[in-house]
Amino acid sequence: MSKRNKTLDLDMLHGSIGDKTLKFALPLAATGILQQLFTAADTAIIGRFAGTAAQAAVGCNVQTTSLLYNTIIGISVGVNVIVAGCIGRDDKEAIRKSVHTSILFAFLSGIFITIFSEIIGGWLLHAMSVPDKIFDMALLYLRIFLFGAPFIFLYNFESAILRSKGNTRTPLFWLFVSGIVNVILNVILVACFDLGVAGVAIATVLSNILSSVALFVSLMRQNDATKLVLRDLSIDLKTLKEIFRIGLPAGLQNMAFNFANVCIQSGINKLGPVVIAASSASIIFETMAYNITSSFGSACTTFVSQNHAAGDDGRCRRSIRWTLLQGGTSILIFSGLMLIFGRGIFTLFNPDTAVVSKAFLRTSYVMPAQIISLTMDILSGSIRGFGDSSTPAITIMFTVCGVRILWILTVFKHFETFVSLLLVYPISWAVTTAILFVIYLRQKRKLQGR
Protein backbone atom coordinates (compact mmCIF):
# COMPACT_ATOMS: atom_id res chain seq x y z
CA MET A 1 0.00 0.00 0.00
CA SER A 2 1.29 3.47 -0.86
CA LYS A 3 2.43 5.90 1.82
CA ARG A 4 -0.50 8.17 0.96
CA ASN A 5 -3.08 5.43 1.53
CA LYS A 6 -1.41 4.44 4.79
CA THR A 7 -1.77 8.03 5.94
CA LEU A 8 -5.46 8.33 5.07
CA ASP A 9 -6.66 4.81 6.00
CA LEU A 10 -7.03 3.71 9.62
CA ASP A 11 -6.05 0.33 11.02
CA MET A 12 -9.14 -0.32 13.12
CA LEU A 13 -8.11 -3.86 14.07
CA HIS A 14 -4.88 -3.15 15.95
CA GLY A 15 -3.35 -0.63 18.31
CA SER A 16 -5.01 2.27 20.09
CA ILE A 17 -8.68 3.09 19.52
CA GLY A 18 -9.40 6.56 20.94
CA ASP A 19 -7.19 8.55 18.58
CA LYS A 20 -8.52 6.61 15.58
CA THR A 21 -12.20 7.13 16.41
CA LEU A 22 -11.48 10.87 16.61
CA LYS A 23 -9.63 10.83 13.27
CA PHE A 24 -12.64 9.04 11.78
CA ALA A 25 -15.47 11.03 13.35
CA LEU A 26 -14.24 14.63 13.29
CA PRO A 27 -13.79 14.88 9.48
CA LEU A 28 -17.19 13.21 9.07
CA ALA A 29 -18.81 15.76 11.39
CA ALA A 30 -17.02 18.57 9.56
CA THR A 31 -18.41 17.22 6.27
CA GLY A 32 -21.99 17.54 7.49
CA ILE A 33 -21.41 20.97 9.00
CA LEU A 34 -19.81 22.19 5.77
CA GLN A 35 -22.83 20.99 3.83
CA GLN A 36 -25.04 23.09 6.12
CA LEU A 37 -22.87 26.16 5.66
CA PHE A 38 -22.84 25.81 1.87
CA THR A 39 -26.62 25.34 1.86
CA ALA A 40 -26.96 28.52 3.91
CA ALA A 41 -24.74 30.33 1.39
CA ASP A 42 -26.92 29.09 -1.50
CA THR A 43 -30.03 30.35 0.28
CA ALA A 44 -28.46 33.74 0.92
CA ILE A 45 -27.35 34.14 -2.71
CA ILE A 46 -30.70 33.20 -4.23
CA GLY A 47 -32.54 35.48 -1.78
CA ARG A 48 -30.17 38.39 -2.32
CA PHE A 49 -29.99 38.31 -6.13
CA ALA A 50 -33.16 36.52 -7.32
CA GLY A 51 -35.76 37.59 -4.79
CA THR A 52 -38.16 36.06 -2.30
CA ALA A 53 -40.21 34.12 -4.87
CA ALA A 54 -37.13 32.34 -6.21
CA GLN A 55 -35.95 31.63 -2.67
CA ALA A 56 -39.36 30.16 -1.84
CA ALA A 57 -39.29 28.03 -5.02
CA VAL A 58 -36.00 26.47 -3.92
CA GLY A 59 -37.15 26.23 -0.32
CA CYS A 60 -40.33 24.32 -1.11
CA ASN A 61 -38.15 21.54 -2.60
CA VAL A 62 -36.18 21.08 0.62
CA GLN A 63 -38.29 18.16 1.89
CA THR A 64 -38.07 16.41 -1.50
CA THR A 65 -34.31 16.82 -1.84
CA SER A 66 -33.78 15.92 1.82
CA LEU A 67 -35.79 12.75 1.31
CA LEU A 68 -33.54 11.79 -1.61
CA TYR A 69 -30.32 12.57 0.29
CA ASN A 70 -31.39 10.81 3.48
CA THR A 71 -32.57 7.69 1.65
CA ILE A 72 -29.27 7.43 -0.24
CA ILE A 73 -27.26 7.99 2.94
CA GLY A 74 -29.28 5.27 4.66
CA ILE A 75 -28.71 2.72 1.90
CA SER A 76 -25.00 3.63 1.78
CA VAL A 77 -24.77 2.42 5.40
CA GLY A 78 -25.12 -1.06 3.90
CA VAL A 79 -22.05 -0.47 1.73
CA ASN A 80 -20.11 0.82 4.73
CA VAL A 81 -20.95 -2.17 6.95
CA ILE A 82 -20.46 -4.82 4.25
CA VAL A 83 -17.08 -3.51 3.04
CA ALA A 84 -15.87 -2.93 6.62
CA GLY A 85 -16.84 -6.50 7.51
CA CYS A 86 -14.97 -7.85 4.49
CA ILE A 87 -11.90 -5.85 5.54
CA GLY A 88 -12.19 -7.29 9.06
CA ARG A 89 -12.23 -10.84 7.60
CA ASP A 90 -9.47 -9.90 5.14
CA ASP A 91 -11.64 -11.29 2.32
CA LYS A 92 -10.17 -9.46 -0.68
CA GLU A 93 -12.47 -11.03 -3.26
CA ALA A 94 -15.55 -10.05 -1.26
CA ILE A 95 -14.18 -6.50 -0.93
CA ARG A 96 -13.67 -6.31 -4.69
CA LYS A 97 -17.21 -7.54 -5.40
CA SER A 98 -18.70 -5.13 -2.85
CA VAL A 99 -16.88 -2.12 -4.30
CA HIS A 100 -17.74 -2.78 -7.94
CA THR A 101 -21.33 -3.85 -7.21
CA SER A 102 -22.06 -0.76 -5.12
CA ILE A 103 -20.53 1.69 -7.63
CA LEU A 104 -22.44 0.31 -10.62
CA PHE A 105 -25.66 -0.02 -8.63
CA ALA A 106 -25.32 3.58 -7.39
CA PHE A 107 -25.01 5.03 -10.88
CA LEU A 108 -27.83 2.92 -12.37
CA SER A 109 -30.11 3.73 -9.42
CA GLY A 110 -29.39 7.43 -9.89
CA ILE A 111 -30.40 7.22 -13.55
CA PHE A 112 -33.64 5.45 -12.60
CA ILE A 113 -34.43 8.09 -9.95
CA THR A 114 -33.78 10.86 -12.48
CA ILE A 115 -36.17 9.37 -15.07
CA PHE A 116 -38.85 8.47 -12.51
CA SER A 117 -38.70 11.86 -10.79
CA GLU A 118 -38.86 13.76 -14.07
CA ILE A 119 -42.13 11.94 -14.78
CA ILE A 120 -43.76 12.51 -11.37
CA GLY A 121 -42.12 15.87 -10.50
CA GLY A 122 -45.13 18.00 -11.40
CA TRP A 123 -47.57 15.71 -9.58
CA LEU A 124 -45.32 15.69 -6.52
CA LEU A 125 -45.22 19.48 -6.26
CA HIS A 126 -49.00 19.67 -6.72
CA ALA A 127 -49.40 17.12 -3.91
CA MET A 128 -47.24 19.35 -1.69
CA SER A 129 -49.59 22.30 -2.40
CA VAL A 130 -46.85 24.47 -3.91
CA PRO A 131 -48.45 27.89 -4.66
CA ASP A 132 -49.21 28.61 -8.32
CA LYS A 133 -47.12 31.79 -8.14
CA ILE A 134 -43.89 29.84 -7.70
CA PHE A 135 -44.92 26.45 -9.14
CA ASP A 136 -43.11 26.78 -12.48
CA MET A 137 -39.89 27.94 -10.84
CA ALA A 138 -40.09 25.13 -8.27
CA LEU A 139 -40.61 22.52 -11.00
CA LEU A 140 -37.73 23.91 -13.08
CA TYR A 141 -35.40 23.75 -10.08
CA LEU A 142 -36.46 20.18 -9.21
CA ARG A 143 -36.04 18.87 -12.76
CA ILE A 144 -32.55 20.34 -13.18
CA PHE A 145 -31.50 19.25 -9.68
CA LEU A 146 -32.57 15.65 -10.33
CA PHE A 147 -30.28 15.39 -13.36
CA GLY A 148 -27.54 15.19 -10.73
CA ALA A 149 -29.10 12.17 -8.94
CA PRO A 150 -26.64 9.61 -10.41
CA PHE A 151 -23.74 11.68 -9.08
CA ILE A 152 -25.37 12.16 -5.67
CA PHE A 153 -25.72 8.38 -5.43
CA LEU A 154 -22.12 7.90 -6.59
CA TYR A 155 -20.61 10.36 -4.10
CA ASN A 156 -22.39 8.81 -1.12
CA PHE A 157 -21.53 5.23 -2.06
CA GLU A 158 -17.92 6.18 -2.84
CA SER A 159 -17.72 7.94 0.53
CA ALA A 160 -19.11 4.83 2.23
CA ILE A 161 -16.39 2.66 0.65
CA LEU A 162 -13.62 5.02 1.77
CA ARG A 163 -15.24 5.36 5.20
CA SER A 164 -15.30 1.57 5.62
CA LYS A 165 -11.50 1.59 5.85
CA GLY A 166 -11.31 4.70 7.98
CA ASN A 167 -10.71 7.34 5.31
CA THR A 168 -13.12 10.20 6.07
CA ARG A 169 -10.71 12.96 5.06
CA THR A 170 -10.76 12.45 1.28
CA PRO A 171 -14.58 12.88 1.04
CA LEU A 172 -14.30 15.94 3.30
CA PHE A 173 -11.62 17.52 1.09
CA TRP A 174 -13.61 17.07 -2.11
CA LEU A 175 -16.83 18.22 -0.47
CA PHE A 176 -15.02 21.39 0.56
CA VAL A 177 -13.67 21.94 -2.97
CA SER A 178 -17.02 21.24 -4.65
CA GLY A 179 -18.81 23.43 -2.09
CA ILE A 180 -16.56 26.38 -2.90
CA VAL A 181 -17.13 25.74 -6.62
CA ASN A 182 -20.89 25.61 -5.96
CA VAL A 183 -20.88 29.00 -4.22
CA ILE A 184 -18.76 30.58 -6.98
CA LEU A 185 -21.02 29.16 -9.70
CA ASN A 186 -24.08 30.41 -7.81
CA VAL A 187 -22.70 33.94 -7.81
CA ILE A 188 -21.82 33.74 -11.51
CA LEU A 189 -25.03 32.09 -12.73
CA VAL A 190 -27.48 33.87 -10.43
CA ALA A 191 -25.93 37.29 -9.85
CA CYS A 192 -24.11 37.78 -13.17
CA PHE A 193 -26.25 35.83 -15.67
CA ASP A 194 -29.57 36.25 -13.84
CA LEU A 195 -30.53 32.57 -14.23
CA GLY A 196 -32.43 32.47 -10.92
CA VAL A 197 -33.47 29.03 -9.69
CA ALA A 198 -32.02 27.39 -12.81
CA GLY A 199 -28.62 28.84 -11.94
CA VAL A 200 -28.75 27.44 -8.39
CA ALA A 201 -29.77 24.00 -9.68
CA ILE A 202 -27.08 23.95 -12.39
CA ALA A 203 -24.42 24.96 -9.85
CA THR A 204 -25.53 22.15 -7.54
CA VAL A 205 -25.45 19.54 -10.32
CA LEU A 206 -21.98 20.61 -11.51
CA SER A 207 -20.56 20.57 -7.98
CA ASN A 208 -22.04 17.08 -7.40
CA ILE A 209 -20.41 15.88 -10.63
CA LEU A 210 -17.07 17.30 -9.49
CA SER A 211 -17.10 15.62 -6.06
CA SER A 212 -18.30 12.24 -7.37
CA VAL A 213 -15.78 12.14 -10.23
CA ALA A 214 -12.97 13.11 -7.83
CA LEU A 215 -13.81 10.23 -5.49
CA PHE A 216 -14.19 7.89 -8.48
CA VAL A 217 -10.64 8.73 -9.53
CA SER A 218 -9.48 8.35 -5.92
CA LEU A 219 -10.89 4.82 -5.80
CA MET A 220 -9.18 3.98 -9.08
CA ARG A 221 -5.88 4.99 -7.47
CA GLN A 222 -6.20 2.81 -4.38
CA ASN A 223 -3.53 0.17 -3.87
CA ASP A 224 -5.58 -2.44 -2.03
CA ALA A 225 -8.68 -4.55 -2.61
CA THR A 226 -10.89 -1.41 -2.73
CA LYS A 227 -9.21 -0.33 -5.99
CA LEU A 228 -11.83 0.41 -8.63
CA VAL A 229 -11.21 -1.20 -12.04
CA LEU A 230 -13.57 -0.17 -14.83
CA ARG A 231 -13.61 -3.55 -16.58
CA ASP A 232 -14.62 -5.23 -13.29
CA LEU A 233 -17.79 -3.15 -12.86
CA SER A 234 -20.64 -5.62 -12.49
CA ILE A 235 -23.41 -6.43 -10.05
CA ASP A 236 -23.04 -9.48 -7.83
CA LEU A 237 -26.59 -10.29 -6.72
CA LYS A 238 -25.52 -11.92 -3.46
CA THR A 239 -23.48 -8.87 -2.50
CA LEU A 240 -26.27 -6.51 -3.53
CA LYS A 241 -28.72 -8.47 -1.37
CA GLU A 242 -26.41 -8.04 1.64
CA ILE A 243 -26.06 -4.30 0.98
CA PHE A 244 -29.85 -3.99 0.90
CA ARG A 245 -30.23 -6.15 4.00
CA ILE A 246 -28.21 -3.62 5.98
CA GLY A 247 -28.86 -0.42 4.04
CA LEU A 248 -32.57 -0.55 3.17
CA PRO A 249 -33.79 -0.50 6.81
CA ALA A 250 -31.56 2.53 7.46
CA GLY A 251 -32.94 4.21 4.33
CA LEU A 252 -36.54 3.54 5.39
CA GLN A 253 -35.68 4.86 8.87
CA ASN A 254 -34.45 8.13 7.36
CA MET A 255 -37.60 8.40 5.26
CA ALA A 256 -39.72 7.94 8.40
CA PHE A 257 -37.68 10.63 10.15
CA ASN A 258 -38.45 13.01 7.31
CA PHE A 259 -42.17 12.30 7.61
CA ALA A 260 -42.13 12.78 11.40
CA ASN A 261 -40.29 16.08 11.03
CA VAL A 262 -42.87 17.25 8.49
CA CYS A 263 -45.52 16.57 11.14
CA ILE A 264 -43.57 18.64 13.69
CA GLN A 265 -43.20 21.41 11.11
CA SER A 266 -46.95 21.42 10.64
CA GLY A 267 -47.26 22.09 14.38
CA ILE A 268 -44.69 24.88 14.19
CA ASN A 269 -46.60 26.47 11.30
CA LYS A 270 -49.68 26.72 13.52
CA LEU A 271 -47.79 28.88 16.02
CA GLY A 272 -47.22 31.78 13.65
CA PRO A 273 -44.42 33.50 11.72
CA VAL A 274 -42.30 34.38 14.78
CA VAL A 275 -42.01 30.73 15.85
CA ILE A 276 -41.45 29.64 12.23
CA ALA A 277 -38.60 32.12 11.81
CA ALA A 278 -37.14 31.21 15.21
CA SER A 279 -37.23 27.50 14.45
CA SER A 280 -35.63 28.02 11.03
CA ALA A 281 -32.63 29.68 12.69
CA SER A 282 -32.36 27.15 15.51
CA ILE A 283 -32.69 24.11 13.23
CA ILE A 284 -29.47 25.09 11.43
CA PHE A 285 -27.50 24.50 14.64
CA GLU A 286 -29.53 21.46 15.64
CA THR A 287 -28.55 19.93 12.30
CA MET A 288 -24.90 20.67 13.11
CA ALA A 289 -25.38 18.89 16.44
CA TYR A 290 -26.91 15.97 14.53
CA ASN A 291 -23.82 15.91 12.28
CA ILE A 292 -21.69 15.47 15.40
CA THR A 293 -23.79 12.70 16.95
CA SER A 294 -24.25 10.81 13.68
CA SER A 295 -20.51 10.98 12.88
CA PHE A 296 -19.65 9.22 16.14
CA GLY A 297 -22.50 6.78 15.49
CA SER A 298 -20.97 6.03 12.09
CA ALA A 299 -17.54 5.63 13.67
CA CYS A 300 -19.03 3.14 16.10
CA THR A 301 -20.70 1.20 13.27
CA THR A 302 -17.49 0.97 11.22
CA PHE A 303 -15.14 0.06 14.09
CA VAL A 304 -17.57 -2.51 15.49
CA SER A 305 -18.21 -4.00 12.03
CA GLN A 306 -14.52 -4.54 11.26
CA ASN A 307 -13.61 -5.91 14.69
CA HIS A 308 -16.71 -8.11 14.98
CA ALA A 309 -15.88 -9.64 11.59
CA ALA A 310 -12.32 -10.20 12.86
CA GLY A 311 -13.72 -11.96 15.96
CA ASP A 312 -12.53 -9.36 18.48
CA ASP A 313 -15.71 -8.44 20.37
CA GLY A 314 -13.69 -7.03 23.29
CA ARG A 315 -12.30 -4.41 20.94
CA CYS A 316 -15.88 -3.77 19.74
CA ARG A 317 -16.93 -2.89 23.30
CA ARG A 318 -13.93 -0.58 23.73
CA SER A 319 -14.86 1.16 20.46
CA ILE A 320 -18.40 1.73 21.77
CA ARG A 321 -17.06 3.23 25.02
CA TRP A 322 -14.62 5.52 23.19
CA THR A 323 -17.25 6.85 20.78
CA LEU A 324 -19.65 7.46 23.68
CA LEU A 325 -16.97 9.33 25.64
CA GLN A 326 -15.66 11.41 22.74
CA GLY A 327 -19.06 12.04 21.17
CA GLY A 328 -20.51 12.98 24.56
CA THR A 329 -17.68 15.43 25.22
CA SER A 330 -18.03 16.97 21.76
CA ILE A 331 -21.79 17.42 21.91
CA LEU A 332 -21.68 18.83 25.46
CA ILE A 333 -19.12 21.42 24.35
CA PHE A 334 -21.19 22.35 21.28
CA SER A 335 -24.42 22.53 23.29
CA GLY A 336 -22.72 24.58 26.00
CA LEU A 337 -21.44 27.10 23.46
CA MET A 338 -24.94 27.45 21.99
CA LEU A 339 -26.42 28.06 25.44
CA ILE A 340 -23.77 30.70 26.19
CA PHE A 341 -23.65 32.49 22.83
CA GLY A 342 -26.99 31.48 21.29
CA ARG A 343 -28.79 34.80 21.71
CA GLY A 344 -25.98 36.70 20.01
CA ILE A 345 -25.79 34.17 17.18
CA PHE A 346 -29.54 34.28 16.54
CA THR A 347 -29.43 38.07 16.45
CA LEU A 348 -27.22 37.77 13.36
CA PHE A 349 -30.01 35.85 11.63
CA ASN A 350 -32.85 38.10 12.73
CA PRO A 351 -32.65 41.23 14.91
CA ASP A 352 -36.29 40.85 16.02
CA THR A 353 -36.11 40.29 19.79
CA ALA A 354 -39.23 38.08 19.75
CA VAL A 355 -37.66 35.77 17.15
CA VAL A 356 -34.35 35.66 19.05
CA SER A 357 -36.16 34.85 22.30
CA LYS A 358 -38.12 31.97 20.75
CA ALA A 359 -35.03 30.62 18.96
CA PHE A 360 -33.09 30.58 22.25
CA LEU A 361 -36.06 28.95 24.01
CA ARG A 362 -35.94 26.14 21.48
CA THR A 363 -32.18 25.81 21.89
CA SER A 364 -32.50 25.63 25.69
CA TYR A 365 -34.84 22.63 25.38
CA VAL A 366 -33.28 20.76 22.46
CA MET A 367 -29.52 21.25 22.87
CA PRO A 368 -29.11 19.76 26.38
CA ALA A 369 -31.02 16.68 25.19
CA GLN A 370 -28.53 16.07 22.36
CA ILE A 371 -26.53 13.84 24.73
CA ILE A 372 -29.52 11.45 24.69
CA SER A 373 -29.58 11.62 20.88
CA LEU A 374 -25.87 10.76 20.81
CA THR A 375 -26.42 7.69 23.04
CA MET A 376 -29.24 6.61 20.71
CA ASP A 377 -26.95 6.94 17.67
CA ILE A 378 -24.09 5.02 19.34
CA LEU A 379 -26.37 2.18 20.44
CA SER A 380 -28.05 1.86 17.03
CA GLY A 381 -24.65 2.15 15.33
CA SER A 382 -23.19 -0.65 17.44
CA ILE A 383 -26.14 -2.95 16.74
CA ARG A 384 -25.72 -2.29 12.98
CA GLY A 385 -22.00 -2.97 13.30
CA PHE A 386 -22.83 -6.41 14.70
CA GLY A 387 -24.78 -7.05 11.48
CA ASP A 388 -28.36 -6.30 12.56
CA SER A 389 -29.71 -3.26 10.73
CA SER A 390 -33.42 -4.08 10.86
CA THR A 391 -33.83 -4.03 14.64
CA PRO A 392 -32.52 -0.48 15.27
CA ALA A 393 -34.32 0.83 12.17
CA ILE A 394 -37.67 -0.65 13.20
CA THR A 395 -37.16 0.49 16.80
CA ILE A 396 -36.39 4.07 15.76
CA MET A 397 -39.27 4.21 13.28
CA PHE A 398 -41.80 3.05 15.86
CA THR A 399 -40.41 5.07 18.77
CA VAL A 400 -38.78 8.32 17.64
CA CYS A 401 -41.09 8.74 14.67
CA GLY A 402 -44.12 7.12 16.29
CA VAL A 403 -43.85 9.14 19.52
CA ARG A 404 -43.47 12.39 17.56
CA ILE A 405 -46.47 11.77 15.33
CA LEU A 406 -48.59 10.58 18.28
CA TRP A 407 -47.50 13.62 20.34
CA ILE A 408 -48.60 16.02 17.59
CA LEU A 409 -51.97 14.28 17.26
CA THR A 410 -52.66 14.13 21.01
CA VAL A 411 -50.67 16.31 23.45
CA PHE A 412 -49.97 19.20 21.09
CA LYS A 413 -53.56 19.13 19.85
CA HIS A 414 -54.75 19.99 23.38
CA PHE A 415 -51.81 22.21 24.41
CA GLU A 416 -50.79 24.22 21.35
CA THR A 417 -47.74 25.92 22.84
CA PHE A 418 -44.14 26.07 21.69
CA VAL A 419 -42.87 24.38 24.86
CA SER A 420 -45.31 21.46 24.53
CA LEU A 421 -44.03 20.95 20.98
CA LEU A 422 -40.37 21.14 22.00
CA LEU A 423 -40.78 18.47 24.69
CA VAL A 424 -41.34 15.86 21.98
CA TYR A 425 -37.63 15.90 21.10
CA PRO A 426 -36.10 14.77 24.43
CA ILE A 427 -39.04 12.46 25.17
CA SER A 428 -38.83 10.63 21.82
CA TRP A 429 -35.04 10.31 22.12
CA ALA A 430 -35.24 9.04 25.72
CA VAL A 431 -37.87 6.39 24.95
CA THR A 432 -35.89 5.13 21.96
CA THR A 433 -32.56 5.10 23.82
CA ALA A 434 -34.04 3.04 26.67
CA ILE A 435 -35.39 0.42 24.25
CA LEU A 436 -32.16 0.29 22.23
CA PHE A 437 -30.17 -0.17 25.45
CA VAL A 438 -32.23 -3.25 26.32
CA ILE A 439 -31.70 -4.59 22.78
CA TYR A 440 -27.96 -3.92 23.05
CA LEU A 441 -27.71 -5.78 26.38
CA ARG A 442 -29.54 -8.78 24.90
CA GLN A 443 -27.22 -8.76 21.89
CA LYS A 444 -24.16 -8.46 24.15
CA ARG A 445 -25.24 -11.52 26.20
CA LYS A 446 -25.88 -13.45 22.99
CA LEU A 447 -22.39 -12.63 21.67
CA GLN A 448 -20.77 -13.59 24.97
CA GLY A 449 -22.51 -16.96 24.77
CA ARG A 450 -21.14 -17.80 21.32
Side-chain angles (χ1 to χ4, degrees):
M1 186 179 291
S2 71
K3 184 176 180 180
R4 175 177 173 78
N5 281 338
K6 284 183 179 178
T7 301
L8 294 176
D9 298 348
L10 296 175
D11 182 358
M12 303 182 198
L13 302 174
H14 309 94
S16 60
I17 297 176
D19 60 324
K20 293 173 183 175
T21 52
L22 270 182
K23 288 179 181 177
F24 183 103
L26 291 182
L28 197 57
T31 299
I33 292 171
L34 270 178
Q35 285 177 324
Q36 279 298 110
L37 293 175
F38 287 136
T39 299
D42 288 351
T43 302
I45 291 169
I46 190 70
R48 174 92 168 100
F49 296 104
T52 302
Q55 190 175 42
V58 174
C60 70
N61 278 295
V62 167
Q63 290 299 334
T64 304
T65 56
S66 293
L67 180 63
L68 175 63
Y69 277 117
N70 290 332
T71 303
I72 296 169
I73 290 170
I75 296 173
S76 72
V77 169
V79 178
N80 183 15
V81 172
I82 296 302
V83 177
C86 295
I87 292 172
R89 294 190 301 273
D90 195 27
D91 189 339
K92 293 181 174 56
E93 180 60 20
I95 296 171
R96 188 191 67 78
K97 286 182 180 179
S98 299
V99 168
H100 291 86
T101 295
S102 58
I103 291 297
L104 183 57
F105 171 76
F107 192 71
L108 293 178
S109 297
I111 292 174
F112 171 78
I113 291 295
T114 296
I115 296 171
F116 181 70
S117 299
E118 295 294 333
I119 294 172
I120 69 164
W123 172 85
L124 185 63
L125 293 181
H126 276 301
M128 294 171 63
S129 301
V130 173
D132 292 340
K133 183 178 179 181
I134 62 171
F135 184 88
D136 289 340
M137 284 193 294
L139 183 59
L140 175 63
Y141 173 84
L142 183 62
R143 283 180 167 164
I144 296 174
F145 173 88
L146 289 170
F147 270 106
F151 302 98
I152 297 173
F153 267 84
L154 264 181
Y155 174 82
N156 282 281
F157 277 52
E158 291 161 345
S159 296
I161 293 168
L162 292 170
R163 192 165 65 243
S164 67
K165 56 181 189 168
N167 182 354
T168 55
R169 283 172 282 179
T170 299
L172 170 61
F173 173 78
W174 284 110
L175 174 72
F176 178 77
V177 172
S178 64
I180 295 295
V181 169
N182 186 26
V183 172
I184 294 171
L185 287 175
N186 271 324
V187 173
I188 294 172
L189 297 176
V190 178
C192 299
F193 288 92
D194 196 26
L195 292 181
V197 296
V200 175
I202 292 169
T204 301
V205 171
L206 292 178
S207 63
N208 285 331
I209 291 173
L210 171 62
S211 59
S212 63
V213 170
L215 290 193
F216 193 89
V217 172
S218 179
L219 285 172
M220 292 179 69
R221 292 179 175 175
Q222 299 299 302
N223 292 299
D224 56 16
T226 62
K227 180 182 176 66
L228 181 64
V229 181
L230 290 179
R231 66 174 178 273
D232 290 341
L233 284 172
S234 61
I235 292 179
D236 181 77
L237 293 180
K238 183 179 179 182
T239 300
L240 186 61
K241 182 180 177 181
E242 280 298 292
I243 290 172
F244 266 95
R245 184 180 67 81
I246 301 293
L248 190 57
L252 293 174
Q253 172 192 308
N254 287 348
M255 290 174 66
F257 252 118
N258 262 60
F259 179 72
N261 288 335
V262 168
C263 292
I264 292 177
Q265 186 62 45
S266 69
I268 290 172
N269 292 343
K270 291 182 180 180
L271 299 175
V274 170
V275 172
I276 294 171
S279 292
S280 297
S282 183
I283 285 172
I284 293 173
F285 298 95
E286 289 168 27
T287 304
M288 291 182 183
Y290 167 76
N291 294 142
I292 295 172
T293 62
S294 65
S295 68
F296 282 96
S298 182
C300 182
T301 298
T302 308
F303 275 74
V304 168
S305 181
Q306 276 206 25
N307 286 283
H308 178 61
D312 192 345
D313 289 336
R315 192 173 174 85
C316 291
R317 289 191 292 274
R318 292 195 296 276
S319 298
I320 294 168
R321 288 196 293 268
W322 270 112
T323 49
L324 268 173
L325 175 63
Q326 294 169 341
T329 302
S330 301
I331 201 63
L332 285 175
I333 291 173
F334 184 80
S335 299
L337 290 173
M338 286 303 301
L339 291 174
I340 295 170
F341 301 108
R343 288 186 184 276
I345 292 172
F346 295 134
T347 302
L348 298 176
F349 284 80
N350 195 318
D352 188 325
T353 55
V355 172
V356 171
S357 178
K358 291 294 185 182
F360 188 74
L361 176 65
R362 177 172 176 132
T363 291
S364 66
Y365 273 86
V366 177
M367 281 299 177
Q370 291 289 348
I371 190 70
I372 307 174
S373 177
L374 170 80
T375 308
M376 180 184 74
D377 281 346
I378 297 295
L379 288 171
S380 62
S382 67
I383 296 167
R384 283 196 182 93
F386 286 122
D388 181 1
S389 182
S390 297
T391 300
I394 292 171
T395 301
I396 289 171
M397 281 191 285
F398 280 96
T399 50
V400 170
C401 304
V403 166
R404 291 181 181 183
I405 294 170
L406 185 63
W407 188 275
I408 297 297
L409 297 176
T410 56
V411 177
F412 181 71
K413 185 177 180 179
H414 295 286
F415 304 96
E416 287 193 356
T417 67
F418 196 25
V419 170
S420 73
L421 188 62
L422 294 175
L423 287 172
V424 75
Y425 290 101
I427 289 173
S428 61
W429 288 333
V431 170
T432 307
T433 300
I435 295 173
L436 286 173
F437 185 65
V438 173
I439 294 169
Y440 169 75
L441 289 179
R442 290 179 60 186
Q443 188 177 61
K444 182 180 176 182
R445 286 195 294 268
K446 182 179 178 181
L447 291 171
Q448 287 174 338
R450 289 193 308 179

